[in-house]
Protein backbone atom coordinates (compact mmCIF):
# COMPACT_ATOMS: atom_id res chain seq x y z
CA UNK A 1 0.00 0.00 0.00
CA UNK A 2 1.45 3.35 -0.98
CA UNK A 3 0.11 6.44 0.77
CA UNK A 4 0.79 9.59 -1.19
CA UNK A 5 3.44 11.90 0.23
CA UNK A 6 3.20 15.54 1.21
CA UNK A 7 5.77 18.23 1.89
CA UNK A 8 5.39 20.24 5.07
CA UNK A 9 5.22 23.83 3.87
CA UNK A 10 8.05 25.14 1.70
CA UNK A 11 10.54 22.68 3.16
CA UNK A 12 11.92 19.55 1.54
CA UNK A 13 10.55 17.60 4.49
CA UNK A 14 8.41 14.94 2.83
CA UNK A 15 6.17 12.62 4.84
CA UNK A 16 3.22 10.27 4.30
CA UNK A 17 -0.03 12.24 3.94
CA UNK A 18 -1.24 10.60 7.15
CA UNK A 19 1.13 10.07 10.05
CA UNK A 20 0.76 8.06 13.24
CA UNK A 21 0.38 9.76 16.61
CA UNK A 22 1.90 7.33 19.12
CA UNK A 23 0.98 9.05 22.42
CA UNK A 24 -2.09 6.94 23.20
CA UNK A 25 -0.07 3.72 23.10
CA UNK A 26 1.62 4.74 26.36
CA UNK A 27 -0.31 7.60 27.88
CA UNK A 28 -3.49 9.63 27.95
CA UNK A 29 -6.17 7.05 27.19
CA UNK A 30 -6.09 4.66 30.13
CA UNK A 31 -3.30 2.18 30.97
CA UNK A 32 -0.41 1.75 28.53
CA UNK A 33 -0.85 -1.00 25.96
CA UNK A 34 1.32 -4.10 25.71
CA UNK A 35 4.71 -3.08 24.31
CA UNK A 36 5.09 -6.04 21.93
CA UNK A 37 1.63 -5.42 20.47
CA UNK A 38 2.38 -1.73 19.95
CA UNK A 39 5.72 -2.50 18.28
CA UNK A 40 3.94 -4.81 15.84
CA UNK A 41 1.31 -2.09 15.22
CA UNK A 42 4.06 0.44 14.42
CA UNK A 43 5.66 -2.13 12.10
CA UNK A 44 2.26 -2.62 10.42
CA UNK A 45 2.07 1.15 9.86
CA UNK A 46 5.49 1.17 8.17
CA UNK A 47 4.48 -1.82 6.02
CA UNK A 48 1.40 0.14 4.90
CA UNK A 49 3.34 3.22 3.85
CA UNK A 50 3.27 5.44 6.95
CA UNK A 51 6.60 7.28 7.24
CA UNK A 52 5.78 9.96 9.86
CA UNK A 53 5.70 9.04 13.57
CA UNK A 54 4.94 11.42 16.42
CA UNK A 55 6.02 11.11 20.06
CA UNK A 56 7.24 13.31 22.95
CA UNK A 57 9.33 12.93 26.09
CA UNK A 58 6.30 13.74 28.24
CA UNK A 59 4.25 10.80 26.93
CA UNK A 60 4.68 8.28 29.70
CA UNK A 61 6.85 10.18 30.54
CA UNK A 62 9.71 8.73 28.47
CA UNK A 63 8.17 5.31 27.76
CA UNK A 64 6.58 6.36 24.47
CA UNK A 65 9.89 7.56 23.02
CA UNK A 66 11.49 4.27 24.09
CA UNK A 67 8.69 2.31 22.40
CA UNK A 68 8.93 4.32 19.18
CA UNK A 69 12.73 4.11 19.18
CA UNK A 70 12.73 0.33 19.58
CA UNK A 71 9.95 -0.21 17.03
CA UNK A 72 11.48 1.99 14.32
CA UNK A 73 15.15 1.03 14.75
CA UNK A 74 14.99 -1.50 11.85
CA UNK A 75 13.40 1.11 9.56
CA UNK A 76 15.41 4.23 10.36
CA UNK A 77 16.20 5.11 6.75
CA UNK A 78 12.53 4.81 5.70
CA UNK A 79 10.84 6.90 8.41
CA UNK A 80 10.88 10.29 10.07
CA UNK A 81 10.40 10.78 13.80
CA UNK A 82 9.01 13.89 15.46
CA UNK A 83 9.42 14.49 19.19
CA UNK A 84 8.98 17.45 21.52
CA UNK A 85 10.56 19.45 24.33
CA UNK A 86 9.22 22.17 26.57
CA UNK A 87 7.35 20.63 29.48
CA UNK A 88 8.82 20.46 32.98
CA UNK A 89 8.47 16.75 33.75
CA UNK A 90 9.00 17.38 37.48
CA UNK A 91 6.27 20.00 37.64
CA UNK A 92 3.91 18.81 34.90
CA UNK A 93 1.99 20.52 33.31
CA UNK A 94 4.49 23.31 33.97
CA UNK A 95 6.67 24.40 31.07
CA UNK A 96 10.43 24.79 30.67
CA UNK A 97 12.03 25.91 27.42
CA UNK A 98 15.24 27.34 28.84
CA UNK A 99 18.05 26.76 26.32
CA UNK A 100 20.02 24.42 28.62
CA UNK A 101 16.88 22.36 29.23
CA UNK A 102 16.18 22.07 25.47
CA UNK A 103 19.69 20.68 25.03
CA UNK A 104 19.23 18.17 27.87
CA UNK A 105 15.93 16.97 26.41
CA UNK A 106 17.48 16.66 22.95
CA UNK A 107 20.33 14.44 24.21
CA UNK A 108 17.96 12.26 26.27
CA UNK A 109 15.46 11.91 23.40
CA UNK A 110 18.21 10.91 20.95
CA UNK A 111 19.22 8.08 23.31
CA UNK A 112 15.67 6.87 23.94
CA UNK A 113 14.82 7.01 20.24
CA UNK A 114 18.12 5.28 19.32
CA UNK A 115 18.83 7.85 16.61
CA UNK A 116 21.56 10.34 15.79
CA UNK A 117 19.28 13.10 14.53
CA UNK A 118 15.75 14.11 15.51
CA UNK A 119 13.89 14.73 12.25
CA UNK A 120 11.42 17.28 13.66
CA UNK A 121 11.83 18.84 17.12
CA UNK A 122 8.78 20.74 18.34
CA UNK A 123 8.44 23.12 21.25
CA UNK A 124 5.52 21.29 22.90
CA UNK A 125 3.99 24.39 24.52
CA UNK A 126 5.08 28.00 24.50
CA UNK A 127 7.04 29.05 27.61
CA UNK A 128 6.04 32.64 28.47
CA UNK A 129 9.21 33.10 30.54
CA UNK A 130 11.63 32.36 27.68
CA UNK A 131 11.68 34.58 24.57
CA UNK A 132 10.81 32.39 21.61
CA UNK A 133 13.86 33.81 19.81
CA UNK A 134 16.04 32.05 22.41
CA UNK A 135 14.13 28.82 21.85
CA UNK A 136 14.45 29.06 18.05
CA UNK A 137 18.12 30.04 18.36
CA UNK A 138 18.86 26.99 20.51
CA UNK A 139 17.19 24.67 18.00
CA UNK A 140 19.08 26.45 15.21
CA UNK A 141 22.33 25.53 16.99
CA UNK A 142 21.17 21.92 17.37
CA UNK A 143 20.41 21.84 13.63
CA UNK A 144 23.88 23.18 12.92
CA UNK A 145 25.35 20.45 15.14
CA UNK A 146 23.45 17.75 13.22
CA UNK A 147 21.29 16.71 16.19
CA UNK A 148 18.04 18.06 14.73
CA UNK A 149 16.84 18.43 11.14
CA UNK A 150 13.76 20.64 11.39
CA UNK A 151 12.14 22.96 13.96
CA UNK A 152 8.47 22.91 14.90
CA UNK A 153 6.05 24.63 17.26
CA UNK A 154 2.91 23.27 18.92
CA UNK A 155 -0.20 25.22 19.97
CA UNK A 156 1.62 28.49 19.28
CA UNK A 157 -0.17 31.74 18.48
CA UNK A 158 0.35 34.02 15.48
CA UNK A 159 2.84 36.43 17.10
CA UNK A 160 4.95 33.59 18.52
CA UNK A 161 5.08 31.78 15.16
CA UNK A 162 6.16 34.95 13.36
CA UNK A 163 8.90 35.75 15.90
CA UNK A 164 10.24 32.19 15.98
CA UNK A 165 10.24 31.89 12.19
CA UNK A 166 12.33 35.07 11.85
CA UNK A 167 15.05 33.45 13.99
CA UNK A 168 14.93 29.90 12.61
CA UNK A 169 12.48 28.81 9.87
CA UNK A 170 9.61 26.85 11.38
CA UNK A 171 8.88 23.74 9.30
CA UNK A 172 5.66 22.65 10.97
CA UNK A 173 3.06 23.75 13.47
CA UNK A 174 1.28 21.01 15.39
CA UNK A 175 -2.02 22.13 16.89
CA UNK A 176 -5.51 20.76 17.29
CA UNK A 177 -7.64 21.00 14.15
CA UNK A 178 -10.62 18.94 13.08
CA UNK A 179 -14.24 19.16 12.05
CA UNK A 180 -15.09 20.01 15.65
CA UNK A 181 -12.24 22.46 16.34
CA UNK A 182 -11.83 24.91 13.48
CA UNK A 183 -10.33 27.91 15.22
CA UNK A 184 -7.01 27.65 13.26
CA UNK A 185 -8.87 28.66 10.07
CA UNK A 186 -9.24 32.26 11.22
CA UNK A 187 -5.63 33.37 11.67
CA UNK A 188 -3.29 30.36 11.84
CA UNK A 189 -3.84 28.80 8.40
CA UNK A 190 -3.41 32.11 6.50
CA UNK A 191 -0.19 32.79 8.43
CA UNK A 192 1.19 29.31 7.71
CA UNK A 193 0.36 29.78 4.03
CA UNK A 194 2.14 33.15 4.00
CA UNK A 195 5.28 31.82 5.73
CA UNK A 196 5.38 28.42 4.01
CA UNK A 197 4.95 26.37 7.18
CA UNK A 198 3.31 22.93 7.20
CA UNK A 199 0.46 22.03 9.56
CA UNK A 200 0.19 18.80 11.55
CA UNK A 201 -3.26 18.55 13.18
CA UNK A 202 -3.36 16.50 16.35
CA UNK A 203 -6.64 15.00 17.58
CA UNK A 204 -7.87 15.09 13.95
CA UNK A 205 -10.67 12.72 15.00
CA UNK A 206 -11.62 14.78 18.04
CA UNK A 207 -10.03 12.32 20.49
CA UNK A 208 -12.14 9.55 18.98
CA UNK A 209 -15.41 11.46 18.95
CA UNK A 210 -15.59 11.95 15.18
CA UNK A 211 -15.26 8.22 14.51
CA UNK A 212 -18.92 7.68 15.38
CA UNK A 213 -17.92 4.95 17.84
CA UNK A 214 -18.86 6.94 20.96
CA UNK A 215 -22.54 6.95 21.85
CA UNK A 216 -22.64 9.76 24.40
CA UNK A 217 -23.16 7.70 27.55
CA UNK A 218 -19.52 6.60 28.06
CA UNK A 219 -17.72 7.14 31.34
CA UNK A 220 -13.98 7.64 31.03
CA UNK A 221 -11.42 6.32 33.53
CA UNK A 222 -9.48 8.93 35.51
CA UNK A 223 -6.35 7.94 33.51
CA UNK A 224 -8.18 8.97 30.30
CA UNK A 225 -7.66 12.66 29.50
CA UNK A 226 -11.22 12.85 28.20
CA UNK A 227 -12.51 12.42 31.77
CA UNK A 228 -11.53 16.04 32.52
CA UNK A 229 -12.41 17.60 29.16
CA UNK A 230 -15.68 19.63 29.22
CA UNK A 231 -16.45 18.60 25.65
CA UNK A 232 -16.84 15.00 26.86
CA UNK A 233 -19.35 15.53 29.67
CA UNK A 234 -22.47 13.42 29.00
CA UNK A 235 -24.70 16.42 28.30
CA UNK A 236 -22.20 18.03 25.90
CA UNK A 237 -21.53 14.73 24.15
CA UNK A 238 -25.23 14.20 23.53
CA UNK A 239 -25.45 17.61 21.85
CA UNK A 240 -22.20 17.10 19.94
CA UNK A 241 -23.34 13.76 18.51
CA UNK A 242 -25.42 15.77 16.04
CA UNK A 243 -22.14 16.70 14.32
CA UNK A 244 -21.15 13.04 13.94
CA UNK A 245 -24.59 12.23 12.54
CA UNK A 246 -24.09 14.86 9.82
CA UNK A 247 -20.62 13.50 8.98
CA UNK A 248 -22.13 10.01 8.89
CA UNK A 249 -24.55 11.06 6.13
CA UNK A 250 -21.65 12.05 3.88
CA UNK A 251 -19.70 8.93 4.83
CA UNK A 252 -22.55 6.64 3.79
CA UNK A 253 -22.76 8.31 0.42
CA UNK A 254 -18.99 8.14 -0.12
CA UNK A 255 -18.86 4.48 0.96
CA UNK A 256 -16.47 5.52 3.73
CA UNK A 257 -16.51 5.74 7.52
CA UNK A 258 -17.06 8.98 9.50
CA UNK A 259 -13.39 8.85 10.56
CA UNK A 260 -12.28 8.63 6.93
CA UNK A 261 -14.44 11.60 5.96
CA UNK A 262 -13.09 13.63 8.90
CA UNK A 263 -9.48 12.90 7.86
CA UNK A 264 -10.17 13.38 4.13
CA UNK A 265 -11.74 16.75 4.96
CA UNK A 266 -8.52 17.84 6.68
CA UNK A 267 -6.40 16.65 3.75
CA UNK A 268 -8.65 18.62 1.38
CA UNK A 269 -8.15 21.91 3.21
CA UNK A 270 -4.50 22.46 2.18
CA UNK A 271 -1.84 20.34 0.40
CA UNK A 272 0.56 20.95 3.30
CA UNK A 273 -1.67 19.54 6.04
CA UNK A 274 -0.68 16.14 7.49
CA UNK A 275 -2.95 14.78 10.25
CA UNK A 276 -1.58 12.33 12.82
CA UNK A 277 -4.45 10.20 14.14
CA UNK A 278 -3.47 7.84 16.92
CA UNK A 279 -4.69 4.30 17.50
CA UNK A 280 -3.80 1.06 19.24
CA UNK A 281 -5.67 -1.19 16.84
CA UNK A 282 -4.76 -2.53 13.41
CA UNK A 283 -8.26 -2.17 11.95
CA UNK A 284 -8.36 1.51 12.99
CA UNK A 285 -4.89 2.07 11.55
CA UNK A 286 -6.05 0.64 8.22
CA UNK A 287 -9.25 2.68 8.35
CA UNK A 288 -7.29 5.90 8.98
CA UNK A 289 -4.79 5.17 6.21
CA UNK A 290 -7.73 4.50 3.88
CA UNK A 291 -8.81 8.12 4.35
CA UNK A 292 -5.98 9.20 2.05
CA UNK A 293 -7.86 7.50 -0.82
CA UNK A 294 -11.19 9.20 -0.09
CA UNK A 295 -11.61 12.06 -2.56
CA UNK A 296 -13.95 14.86 -1.55
CA UNK A 297 -15.16 17.00 -4.45
CA UNK A 298 -15.84 20.71 -4.09
CA UNK A 299 -19.54 19.80 -3.92
CA UNK A 300 -18.82 17.33 -1.09
CA UNK A 301 -16.86 19.99 0.78
CA UNK A 302 -19.66 22.53 0.36
CA UNK A 303 -22.16 19.98 1.63
CA UNK A 304 -20.00 19.17 4.66
CA UNK A 305 -19.70 22.89 5.36
CA UNK A 306 -23.45 23.35 5.16
CA UNK A 307 -24.21 20.33 7.35
CA UNK A 308 -21.72 21.01 10.11
CA UNK A 309 -22.53 24.71 10.27
CA UNK A 310 -25.93 23.67 11.68
CA UNK A 311 -24.26 22.21 14.79
CA UNK A 312 -22.64 24.31 17.50
CA UNK A 313 -20.10 22.18 19.35
CA UNK A 314 -20.53 22.40 23.12
CA UNK A 315 -17.79 22.44 25.76
CA UNK A 316 -14.18 23.63 25.95
CA UNK A 317 -11.49 21.43 24.41
CA UNK A 318 -9.26 21.61 27.48
CA UNK A 319 -9.86 21.29 31.20
CA UNK A 320 -9.61 24.47 33.29
CA UNK A 321 -6.09 23.61 34.52
CA UNK A 322 -4.76 23.28 30.95
CA UNK A 323 -6.34 26.43 29.54
CA UNK A 324 -3.34 28.49 30.64
CA UNK A 325 -1.08 26.49 28.29
CA UNK A 326 -2.74 27.95 25.19
CA UNK A 327 -0.65 30.64 23.52
CA UNK A 328 -2.57 33.51 21.96
Amino acid sequence: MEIQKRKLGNSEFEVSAIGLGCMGMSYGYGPASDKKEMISLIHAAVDRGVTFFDTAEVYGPFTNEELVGEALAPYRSKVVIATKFGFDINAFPGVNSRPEHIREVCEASLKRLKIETIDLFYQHRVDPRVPVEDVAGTVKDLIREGKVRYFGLSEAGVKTIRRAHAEQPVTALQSEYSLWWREPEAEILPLLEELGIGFVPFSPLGRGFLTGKLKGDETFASTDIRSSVPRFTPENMKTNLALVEQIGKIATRKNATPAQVALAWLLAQKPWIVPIPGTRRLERLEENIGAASVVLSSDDLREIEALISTVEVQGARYSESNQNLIDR
Side-chain angles (χ1 to χ4, degrees), residues 138-179:
T138 304
V139 177
K140 183 189 226 166
D141 290 342
L142 291 168
I143 291 171
R144 211 176 280 136
E145 292 161 30
K147 292 176 178 174
V148 171
R149 279 177 69 205
Y150 294 104
F151 173 42
L153 297 171
S154 180
E155 289 278 11
V158 167
K159 292 192 187 92
T160 302
I161 296 167
R162 222 179 252 293
R163 285 171 51 199
H165 191 71
E167 180 67 31
Q168 163 62 36
V170 176
T171 296
L173 175 75
Q174 180 178 136
S175 295
E176 186 168 352
Y177 181 39
S178 70
L179 279 169

Side-chain angles (χ1 to χ4, degrees), residues 41-183:
L41 183 68
I42 291 171
H43 289 178
V46 178
D47 292 342
R48 286 156 178 77
V50 175
T51 66
F52 189 33
F53 294 84
D54 185 87
T55 183
E57 62 153 2
V58 79
Y59 302 158
F62 311 131
T63 52
N64 195 244
E65 281 189 328
E66 289 164 358
L67 165 70
V68 169
E70 188 177 329
L72 292 177
Y75 303 104
R76 182 62 187 123
S77 62
K78 293 167 66 172
V79 299
V80 295
I81 300 172
T83 193
K84 311 178 192 78
F85 64 86
F87 274 116
D88 184 340
I89 302 279
N90 300 315
F92 187 73
V95 290
N96 180 356
S97 279
R98 291 196 308 275
E100 64 275 19
H101 183 65
I102 297 173
R103 286 188 162 277
E104 285 165 14
V105 174
C106 178
E107 295 299 340
S109 290
L110 286 168
K111 284 197 186 73
R112 283 190 291 269
L113 290 165
K114 304 183 195 300
I115 56 179
E116 288 172 12
T117 307
I118 294 166
D119 296 304
L120 177 57
F121 205 29
Y122 292 104
Q123 182 188 32
H124 208 153
R125 289 292 183 272
V126 173
D127 185 341
R129 294 164 307 183
V130 180
V132 77
E133 290 81 0
D134 293 356
V135 174
T138 304
V139 177
K140 183 189 226 166
D141 290 342
L142 291 168
I143 291 171
R144 211 176 280 136
E145 292 161 30
K147 292 176 178 174
V148 171
R149 279 177 69 205
Y150 294 104
F151 173 42
L153 297 171
S154 180
E155 289 278 11
V158 167
K159 292 192 187 92
T160 302
I161 296 167
R162 222 179 252 293
R163 285 171 51 199
H165 191 71
E167 180 67 31
Q168 163 62 36
V170 176
T171 296
L173 175 75
Q174 180 178 136
S175 295
E176 186 168 352
Y177 181 39
S178 70
L179 279 169
W180 83 337
W181 179 254
R182 297 178 62 185
E183 190 185 70

Side-chain angles (χ1 to χ4, degrees), residues 271-287:
W272 35 264
I273 288 179
V274 178
I276 48 165
T279 185
R280 307 183 193 200
R281 291 162 59 188
L282 181 60
E283 66 267 31
R284 293 283 161 263
L285 174 73
E286 292 181 330
E287 180 183 350

